[in-house]
Structure formats: structure tokens, C-alpha cells
Amino acid sequence: MTRAPQDNQLEVCESEHLQRDDTVHTALQRQLTPHLTVHRIIPQRAIRMIGPWCFLDHFGPVAPANYRQFDVAPHPHIGLQTITWLLSGQLLHQDSLGYEQPLRSGQLNLMTAGRGISHAEVADHDPDQPLHGLQLWCALPPEHEQTEPRFDHYQQVPKFSLGNCTATLIMGSYATEQRRLTSPALSFSPTMALLLQTPQATVVDIQLERNFEYGLYVVSGVMAALDKQTKSHQLLSIGANRRHITLELSADSIVLLLGGEAFEQPVKMWWNFVSASEQRVKQAQQDWDNQHERFGHVAHYQPPSN
């Protein structure tokens, strides 16, 4: 998706490089469309980045009648990967590479912007489920910022049981007691995104990589961990240098575990552009304003009729 027009200040995002931390952060609300309010957990003043993750939006639920005309017009990106995951609803991805890909719950859309791409996101057909999902941005390491843009769609990713939780491995790998599972999603740096869902109150022990920074975002329900209670639209930052964490989850909880190695250097974010180089970000804005060919044209996109 896109950041709102008011998100037009240059932000510096960097890993905290924290060995240990247990701070609760509350998401900020942003109005993306008249019917769609997003809860933004990163970046914000108190927490800028978790490993390579520099952006996390939680959108919806929005009733079907209120997003049948959902339309995020073509907009550009550089220097990042966008990860779109739906808990319910129907979206359609369209981009300047010519892809037109429907997205449903349990599927993954992964767009690698690299040196430049543009895309649009619209409601697909006549939706009959609420729109509810997550979008994340993963910053590309400096040596991969200029990679060729690409789009990947994954019909399924690994799903397994952790105690009474259903765990979905969106990106990266996770080691259970029996084996190590790996998502097929393309990644350019050590990272992971694991979604936990439980219909009943439960306690679950999560294995962690000692050199990863981690955060736990509560999509719904209530989570207790490290003597902290974290509710919907809040994230518990737990830093690094941990081997495991025990979570107490209320009934009907959904929790996203984000992790990754600390980014070696800060990244600059301006609107939808991410780069270690401020000059590269400014150049991208100029190129978009001047309709530079690097961002292509989203040929399938049709503006909504008035």
C-alpha cells in the first residue's frame, strides 16, 4: 500500500541494537481512505525498526460494503520489499511489471521494489468478507537496493502447530523441536515473520534466534509475557539475546512475531521510498514527479468512475 500524503517528512529508521528490552508500544492511527483507518506500529518515534523491518501497518476489519470501492492508486517504491498478508477479504495487486494478482487469506503477495516499481491495490470483484490484514516493509540491504524489481505470489507458506496455536511462517525460518521450517518467500537478509493464532486461552513457548531483534504485535486478543500485558494494536519489543519466550494468550488471539538481525546502518524513509542514501531517496521523488521510466506504468489499473 502507500503511506498517506501527510507522511512526507524524511524519517531515519534504525535498529535499536538492544540486547534486551521489554517495552510496550501502542500503534498510531492513520487515515488511508475515508473508510480505512490503519494502525501503524512502526515507524514511530519510540521504535523505528526491528531488524530489517521498517514498516508495519494493521488495516481493518472493514465491512465489505465499505471497501467495494477500495482503491489505492498507482504509487512508487524503491529499496524495500512489501509483504501483504490478509486475515480476511479480497484484494487485487497490479504493478508496472504487468502483474495482476488476486490475494486471499492465507496467501502471500511479496513485491521487491529494488531500483524502482509502481503498483496499485484495489478491491477484487465483489467482496463478501471484511477486509482485514497486515502490510510490512522489509528494507533491502545497501548491496541489494538497486536489484531488479520483481513480484512473487505464494499460494501457501508453512503452517504448523505450536502447542494449541496455529503458526504460519510468512517469511524466514523457524526451528521446532523436530525440524527447521523455511518459508519459500524471497528474502535478502536474515529475518522472519511468524503469525500465531489460537481459539482458546493457552500458553506457548517460542524459540528465538539469539542474534535477532524481536517484536510481538498483538493483532487481536491479549498477550502476557515478561511481566507485561500487551493488548490489541500494541507491540512488545523484546530486543535480542534471547533463546526463547513464553507467551500467555487469551482466547481468540492473533499475534505476529517479527524478527531479524539488526540492520548495520540506518535507512532513510521519505513517503514510499527507503534507502541507506538520502540522495537516492530524493532522486526517487524527483523521478516520480517527472514520470521517469524507472517506475513504469500500471497498465491494468482503471481509476474508479465518479
Side-chain angles (χ1 to χ4, degrees):
M1 292 188 184
T2 180
R3 300 177 81 203
Q6 62 265 32
D7 295 317
N8 60 359
Q9 294 183 344
L10 183 69
E11 297 191 59
V12 178
C13 301
E14 59 184 320
S15 292
E16 297 291 338
H17 297 275
L18 295 172
Q19 290 303 298
R20 283 182 180 271
D21 183 29
D22 54 0
T23 304
V24 176
H25 306 275
T26 299
L28 307 174
Q29 292 191 30
R30 294 286 187 270
Q31 199 71 32
L32 188 60
T33 74
H35 293 291
L36 181 59
T37 299
V38 300
H39 288 85
R40 180 159 303 157
I41 190 62
I42 50 176
Q44 56 175 282
R45 185 181 302 276
I47 183 167
R48 296 289 188 175
M49 213 167 179
I50 300 171
W53 301 104
C54 61
F55 180 93
L56 168 57
D57 264 4
H58 174 197
F59 53 91
V62 179
N66 288 332
Y67 84 94
R68 288 196 175 100
Q69 301 302 317
F70 177 80
D71 182 271
V72 179
H75 56 277
H77 290 284
I78 67 163
L80 55 79
Q81 290 181 291
T82 65
I83 293 90
T84 308
W85 183 266
L86 293 184
L87 297 161
S88 69
Q90 303 161 218
L91 285 179
L92 181 67
H93 165 95
Q94 301 169 320
D95 66 36
S96 54
L97 300 178
Y99 288 97
E100 189 171 36
Q101 177 62 56
L103 181 65
R104 301 291 186 271
S105 175
Q107 302 174 356
L108 172 63
N109 274 359
L110 174 63
M111 187 180 74
T112 302
R115 61 178 176 79
I117 195 171
S118 59
H119 76 134
E121 288 162 297
V122 300
D124 189 28
H125 301 301
D126 190 20
D128 57 7
Q129 294 182 344
L131 178 65
H132 189 200
L134 301 164
Q135 187 168 87
L136 306 98
W137 296 358
C138 192
L140 291 171
E143 64 270 24
H144 294 293
E145 280 190 8
Q146 293 291 87
T147 192
E148 289 296 310
R150 59 180 286 170
F151 175 78
D152 295 278
H153 173 79
Y154 302 90
Q155 285 282 350
Q156 59 185 16
V157 293
K159 186 174 288 189
F160 56 99
S161 295
L162 278 177
N164 293 319
C165 292
T166 297
T168 304
L169 186 59
I170 299 172
M171 287 191 74
S173 63
Y174 182 84
T176 68
E177 293 181 356
Q178 295 79 26
R179 55 180 175 153
R180 177 173 285 274
L181 298 161
T182 301
S183 168
L186 175 69
S187 181
F188 290 83
S189 58
T191 188
M192 66 92 68
L194 181 73
L195 193 70
L196 303 170
Q197 297 175 272
T198 179
Q200 63 190 71
T202 191
V203 177
V204 61
D205 192 62
I206 305 297
Q207 303 302 310
L208 303 175
E209 301 286 344
R210 184 179 290 275
N211 62 329
F212 274 23
E213 298 179 330
Y214 285 101
L216 290 140
Y217 176 67
V218 180
V219 177
S220 62
V222 179
M223 176 186 74
L226 303 178
D227 297 322
K228 295 284 196 308
Q229 186 178 83
T230 311
K231 301 179 293 185
S232 298
H233 304 138
Q234 292 184 327
L235 177 136
L236 175 65
S237 169
I238 63 172
N241 199 29
R242 299 180 189 271
R243 287 293 188 187
H244 67 91
I245 187 171
T246 300
L247 310 179
E248 298 179 32
L249 303 177
S250 70
D252 299 319
S253 284
I254 303 175
V255 174
L256 176 68
L257 173 66
L258 283 182
E261 289 187 357
F263 230 52
E264 292 185 1
Q265 64 188 93
V267 297
K268 314 299 189 300
M269 182 186 298
W270 173 277
W271 191 33
N272 298 314
F273 307 123
V274 173
S275 175
S277 164
E278 183 174 342
Q279 178 55 42
R280 190 169 285 170
V281 167
K282 291 179 178 179
Q283 185 63 55
Q285 182 66 64
Q286 293 174 15
D287 289 347
W288 175 252
D289 291 342
N290 293 324
Q291 300 181 336
H292 193 282
E293 63 181 9
R294 68 185 286 193
F295 293 112
H297 173 65
V298 185
H300 291 109
Y301 174 74
Q302 295 294 326
S305 56
N306 295 329

